[in-house]
mmCIF file of all heavy atoms in Angstrom:
data_model
loop_
_atom_site.group_PDB
_atom_site.id
_atom_site.type_symbol
_atom_site.label_atom_id
_atom_site.label_comp_id
_atom_site.label_asym_id
_atom_site.label_seq_id
_atom_site.Cartn_x
_atom_site.Cartn_y
_atom_site.Cartn_z
ATOM 1 N N PRO A 881 149.828 98.436 155.359
ATOM 2 C CA PRO A 881 149.041 98.956 156.473
ATOM 3 C C PRO A 881 148.380 100.289 156.214
ATOM 4 O O PRO A 881 147.435 100.702 156.884
ATOM 5 C CB PRO A 881 150.067 99.029 157.621
ATOM 6 C CG PRO A 881 151.385 99.254 156.887
ATOM 7 C CD PRO A 881 151.290 98.421 155.669
ATOM 8 N N GLU A 882 148.950 101.088 155.272
ATOM 9 C CA GLU A 882 148.433 102.411 154.984
ATOM 10 C C GLU A 882 147.201 102.376 154.059
ATOM 11 O O GLU A 882 146.652 103.457 153.767
ATOM 12 C CB GLU A 882 149.508 103.286 154.375
ATOM 13 C CG GLU A 882 149.936 102.925 152.968
ATOM 14 C CD GLU A 882 151.032 101.797 152.939
ATOM 15 O OE1 GLU A 882 151.109 101.038 153.883
ATOM 16 O OE2 GLU A 882 151.791 101.776 151.927
ATOM 17 N N HIS A 883 146.806 101.183 153.585
ATOM 18 C CA HIS A 883 145.657 101.061 152.676
ATOM 19 C C HIS A 883 144.576 100.160 153.261
ATOM 20 O O HIS A 883 144.877 99.251 154.043
ATOM 21 C CB HIS A 883 146.109 100.521 151.296
ATOM 22 C CG HIS A 883 147.264 101.288 150.703
ATOM 23 N ND1 HIS A 883 147.155 102.586 150.235
ATOM 24 C CD2 HIS A 883 148.550 100.903 150.495
ATOM 25 C CE1 HIS A 883 148.296 102.978 149.753
ATOM 26 N NE2 HIS A 883 149.158 101.977 149.872
ATOM 27 N N HIS A 884 143.390 100.383 152.810
ATOM 28 C CA HIS A 884 142.321 99.437 153.120
ATOM 29 C C HIS A 884 142.333 98.344 152.064
ATOM 30 O O HIS A 884 142.040 98.582 150.892
ATOM 31 C CB HIS A 884 140.934 100.138 153.112
ATOM 32 C CG HIS A 884 139.770 99.217 153.285
ATOM 33 N ND1 HIS A 884 139.544 98.491 154.428
ATOM 34 C CD2 HIS A 884 138.788 98.854 152.417
ATOM 35 C CE1 HIS A 884 138.483 97.763 154.291
ATOM 36 N NE2 HIS A 884 137.988 97.970 153.084
ATOM 37 N N VAL A 885 142.721 97.130 152.448
ATOM 38 C CA VAL A 885 142.934 96.014 151.495
ATOM 39 C C VAL A 885 141.668 95.169 151.406
ATOM 40 O O VAL A 885 141.070 94.791 152.435
ATOM 41 C CB VAL A 885 144.103 95.157 151.915
ATOM 42 C CG1 VAL A 885 144.316 93.995 150.946
ATOM 43 C CG2 VAL A 885 145.414 96.044 152.011
ATOM 44 N N GLU A 886 141.276 94.843 150.196
ATOM 45 C CA GLU A 886 140.154 94.003 149.954
ATOM 46 C C GLU A 886 140.495 92.909 148.919
ATOM 47 O O GLU A 886 141.402 93.086 148.113
ATOM 48 C CB GLU A 886 138.932 94.773 149.379
ATOM 49 C CG GLU A 886 138.328 95.809 150.332
ATOM 50 C CD GLU A 886 137.156 96.491 149.674
ATOM 51 O OE1 GLU A 886 136.385 95.841 148.928
ATOM 52 O OE2 GLU A 886 136.943 97.664 149.939
ATOM 53 N N LEU A 887 139.771 91.754 148.997
ATOM 54 C CA LEU A 887 139.917 90.688 147.994
ATOM 55 C C LEU A 887 138.555 90.557 147.316
ATOM 56 O O LEU A 887 137.522 90.544 147.973
ATOM 57 C CB LEU A 887 140.300 89.369 148.713
ATOM 58 C CG LEU A 887 141.610 89.366 149.473
ATOM 59 C CD1 LEU A 887 141.807 88.012 150.110
ATOM 60 C CD2 LEU A 887 142.788 89.649 148.542
ATOM 61 N N ARG A 888 138.607 90.426 145.988
ATOM 62 C CA ARG A 888 137.360 90.215 145.241
ATOM 63 C C ARG A 888 137.554 89.124 144.211
ATOM 64 O O ARG A 888 138.512 89.139 143.461
ATOM 65 C CB ARG A 888 136.942 91.519 144.546
ATOM 66 C CG ARG A 888 136.542 92.612 145.519
ATOM 67 C CD ARG A 888 135.842 93.773 144.843
ATOM 68 N NE ARG A 888 135.508 94.795 145.805
ATOM 69 C CZ ARG A 888 134.951 95.949 145.479
ATOM 70 N NH1 ARG A 888 134.648 96.228 144.229
ATOM 71 N NH2 ARG A 888 134.635 96.807 146.409
ATOM 72 N N ARG A 889 136.609 88.216 144.237
ATOM 73 C CA ARG A 889 136.683 87.040 143.343
ATOM 74 C C ARG A 889 136.000 87.412 141.999
ATOM 75 O O ARG A 889 134.928 87.986 141.986
ATOM 76 C CB ARG A 889 135.993 85.839 143.946
ATOM 77 C CG ARG A 889 136.009 84.574 143.117
ATOM 78 C CD ARG A 889 135.376 83.422 143.893
ATOM 79 N NE ARG A 889 135.311 82.214 143.122
ATOM 80 C CZ ARG A 889 134.889 81.050 143.576
ATOM 81 N NH1 ARG A 889 134.512 80.927 144.852
ATOM 82 N NH2 ARG A 889 134.899 79.981 142.814
ATOM 83 N N ILE A 890 136.641 87.041 140.908
ATOM 84 C CA ILE A 890 136.103 87.264 139.557
ATOM 85 C C ILE A 890 136.032 85.943 138.848
ATOM 86 O O ILE A 890 136.657 84.969 139.219
ATOM 87 C CB ILE A 890 136.940 88.267 138.747
ATOM 88 C CG1 ILE A 890 138.377 87.746 138.578
ATOM 89 C CG2 ILE A 890 136.896 89.639 139.470
ATOM 90 C CD1 ILE A 890 139.189 88.643 137.677
ATOM 91 N N GLY A 891 135.260 85.885 137.779
ATOM 92 C CA GLY A 891 135.108 84.670 136.952
ATOM 93 C C GLY A 891 136.311 84.395 136.075
ATOM 94 O O GLY A 891 137.165 85.273 135.848
ATOM 95 N N PRO A 892 136.382 83.174 135.502
ATOM 96 C CA PRO A 892 137.532 82.835 134.670
ATOM 97 C C PRO A 892 137.605 83.642 133.394
ATOM 98 O O PRO A 892 138.719 83.909 132.877
ATOM 99 C CB PRO A 892 137.293 81.367 134.354
ATOM 100 C CG PRO A 892 135.828 81.138 134.618
ATOM 101 C CD PRO A 892 135.489 82.045 135.725
ATOM 102 N N ARG A 893 136.450 84.049 132.825
ATOM 103 C CA ARG A 893 136.459 84.903 131.654
ATOM 104 C C ARG A 893 137.060 86.258 131.945
ATOM 105 O O ARG A 893 137.840 86.821 131.188
ATOM 106 C CB ARG A 893 135.058 85.048 131.080
ATOM 107 C CG ARG A 893 134.478 83.756 130.497
ATOM 108 C CD ARG A 893 133.138 84.036 129.844
ATOM 109 N NE ARG A 893 132.411 82.808 129.498
ATOM 110 C CZ ARG A 893 132.579 82.171 128.352
ATOM 111 N NH1 ARG A 893 133.481 82.622 127.510
ATOM 112 N NH2 ARG A 893 131.893 81.061 128.107
ATOM 113 N N ASP A 894 136.672 86.858 133.082
ATOM 114 C CA ASP A 894 137.191 88.136 133.453
ATOM 115 C C ASP A 894 138.675 88.028 133.761
ATOM 116 O O ASP A 894 139.466 88.954 133.421
ATOM 117 C CB ASP A 894 136.455 88.667 134.717
ATOM 118 C CG ASP A 894 135.022 89.020 134.424
ATOM 119 O OD1 ASP A 894 134.766 89.920 133.628
ATOM 120 O OD2 ASP A 894 134.136 88.355 134.964
ATOM 121 N N ALA A 895 139.136 86.946 134.352
ATOM 122 C CA ALA A 895 140.538 86.766 134.635
ATOM 123 C C ALA A 895 141.354 86.676 133.334
ATOM 124 O O ALA A 895 142.407 87.295 133.191
ATOM 125 C CB ALA A 895 140.740 85.483 135.478
ATOM 126 N N ALA A 896 140.846 85.921 132.372
ATOM 127 C CA ALA A 896 141.504 85.777 131.072
ATOM 128 C C ALA A 896 141.594 87.121 130.377
ATOM 129 O O ALA A 896 142.585 87.432 129.725
ATOM 130 C CB ALA A 896 140.786 84.762 130.178
ATOM 131 N N LYS A 897 140.569 87.952 130.478
ATOM 132 C CA LYS A 897 140.533 89.257 129.903
ATOM 133 C C LYS A 897 141.650 90.152 130.441
ATOM 134 O O LYS A 897 142.320 90.873 129.721
ATOM 135 C CB LYS A 897 139.181 89.898 130.108
ATOM 136 C CG LYS A 897 139.018 91.333 129.535
ATOM 137 C CD LYS A 897 137.627 91.827 129.887
ATOM 138 C CE LYS A 897 137.424 93.245 129.363
ATOM 139 N NZ LYS A 897 137.340 93.323 127.947
ATOM 140 N N ILE A 898 141.814 90.097 131.764
ATOM 141 C CA ILE A 898 142.847 90.919 132.436
ATOM 142 C C ILE A 898 144.215 90.462 132.066
ATOM 143 O O ILE A 898 145.111 91.241 131.795
ATOM 144 C CB ILE A 898 142.628 90.883 133.952
ATOM 145 C CG1 ILE A 898 141.318 91.620 134.322
ATOM 146 C CG2 ILE A 898 143.785 91.575 134.643
ATOM 147 C CD1 ILE A 898 140.933 91.485 135.784
ATOM 148 N N ILE A 899 144.424 89.110 132.090
ATOM 149 C CA ILE A 899 145.776 88.542 131.837
ATOM 150 C C ILE A 899 146.203 88.790 130.417
ATOM 151 O O ILE A 899 147.343 89.092 130.113
ATOM 152 C CB ILE A 899 145.785 87.046 132.180
ATOM 153 C CG1 ILE A 899 145.537 86.836 133.672
ATOM 154 C CG2 ILE A 899 147.092 86.415 131.766
ATOM 155 C CD1 ILE A 899 145.311 85.387 134.067
ATOM 156 N N GLY A 900 145.261 88.685 129.478
ATOM 157 C CA GLY A 900 145.575 88.905 128.069
ATOM 158 C C GLY A 900 146.369 87.747 127.487
ATOM 159 O O GLY A 900 146.315 86.637 127.988
ATOM 160 N N GLY A 901 147.095 88.032 126.419
ATOM 161 C CA GLY A 901 147.870 86.984 125.738
ATOM 162 C C GLY A 901 147.185 86.512 124.476
ATOM 163 O O GLY A 901 146.172 87.000 124.051
ATOM 164 N N MET A 902 147.761 85.477 123.881
ATOM 165 C CA MET A 902 147.276 84.916 122.597
ATOM 166 C C MET A 902 146.010 84.119 122.817
ATOM 167 O O MET A 902 145.803 83.427 123.825
ATOM 168 C CB MET A 902 148.372 84.038 122.019
ATOM 169 C CG MET A 902 147.970 83.428 120.634
ATOM 170 S SD MET A 902 149.314 82.402 119.950
ATOM 171 C CE MET A 902 150.492 83.725 119.557
ATOM 172 N N GLY A 903 145.089 84.227 121.822
ATOM 173 C CA GLY A 903 143.877 83.465 121.904
ATOM 174 C C GLY A 903 144.085 81.999 121.532
ATOM 175 O O GLY A 903 145.119 81.640 120.930
ATOM 176 N N ALA A 904 143.111 81.171 121.818
ATOM 177 C CA ALA A 904 143.268 79.719 121.478
ATOM 178 C C ALA A 904 143.338 79.505 119.984
ATOM 179 O O ALA A 904 143.824 78.502 119.520
ATOM 180 C CB ALA A 904 142.036 78.971 122.081
ATOM 181 N N CYS A 905 142.798 80.461 119.212
ATOM 182 C CA CYS A 905 142.802 80.324 117.746
ATOM 183 C C CYS A 905 144.141 80.800 117.152
ATOM 184 O O CYS A 905 144.368 80.627 115.949
ATOM 185 C CB CYS A 905 141.661 81.163 117.143
ATOM 186 S SG CYS A 905 141.840 82.923 117.522
ATOM 187 N N GLY A 906 145.030 81.323 117.972
ATOM 188 C CA GLY A 906 146.298 81.848 117.451
ATOM 189 C C GLY A 906 146.300 83.336 117.272
ATOM 190 O O GLY A 906 147.335 83.937 116.939
ATOM 191 N N LYS A 907 145.159 84.004 117.502
ATOM 192 C CA LYS A 907 145.104 85.457 117.389
ATOM 193 C C LYS A 907 146.041 86.102 118.403
ATOM 194 O O LYS A 907 146.090 85.641 119.568
ATOM 195 C CB LYS A 907 143.642 85.901 117.597
ATOM 196 C CG LYS A 907 143.376 87.356 117.280
ATOM 197 C CD LYS A 907 141.889 87.674 117.374
ATOM 198 C CE LYS A 907 141.546 89.112 116.972
ATOM 199 N NZ LYS A 907 142.137 90.095 117.862
ATOM 200 N N GLY A 908 146.753 87.082 117.990
ATOM 201 C CA GLY A 908 147.805 87.661 118.867
ATOM 202 C C GLY A 908 147.316 88.229 120.152
ATOM 203 O O GLY A 908 147.958 88.223 121.202
ATOM 204 N N ILE A 909 146.102 88.822 120.106
ATOM 205 C CA ILE A 909 145.476 89.381 121.320
ATOM 206 C C ILE A 909 144.070 88.789 121.478
ATOM 207 O O ILE A 909 143.281 88.739 120.499
ATOM 208 C CB ILE A 909 145.352 90.929 121.242
ATOM 209 C CG1 ILE A 909 146.761 91.528 121.010
ATOM 210 C CG2 ILE A 909 144.741 91.477 122.506
ATOM 211 C CD1 ILE A 909 146.732 93.057 120.838
ATOM 212 N N ARG A 910 143.758 88.275 122.649
ATOM 213 C CA ARG A 910 142.431 87.693 122.872
ATOM 214 C C ARG A 910 141.327 88.702 122.554
ATOM 215 O O ARG A 910 141.456 89.874 122.912
ATOM 216 C CB ARG A 910 142.323 87.164 124.264
ATOM 217 C CG ARG A 910 143.285 86.025 124.588
ATOM 218 C CD ARG A 910 143.219 85.693 126.052
ATOM 219 N NE ARG A 910 144.286 84.763 126.387
ATOM 220 C CZ ARG A 910 144.602 84.361 127.608
ATOM 221 N NH1 ARG A 910 143.870 84.820 128.629
ATOM 222 N NH2 ARG A 910 145.577 83.545 127.818
#
């Protein structure tokens, strides 16, 4: 309640960028 809360939709590429993890090729970092 002490914050102004907003929701923003992003694309799947941006989501993958934020989540991170291994790439489809096996590279340790996408």
Side-chain angles (χ1 to χ4, degrees):
E882 68 276 24
H883 307 292
H884 174 65
V885 179
E886 294 183 35
L887 300 177
R888 294 191 180 178
R889 182 175 176 176
I890 61 176
R893 293 185 189 275
D894 293 296
K897 178 181 179 70
I898 293 173
I899 295 172
M902 181 178 291
C905 62
K907 191 174 184 294
I909 303 176
R910 297 174 189 171

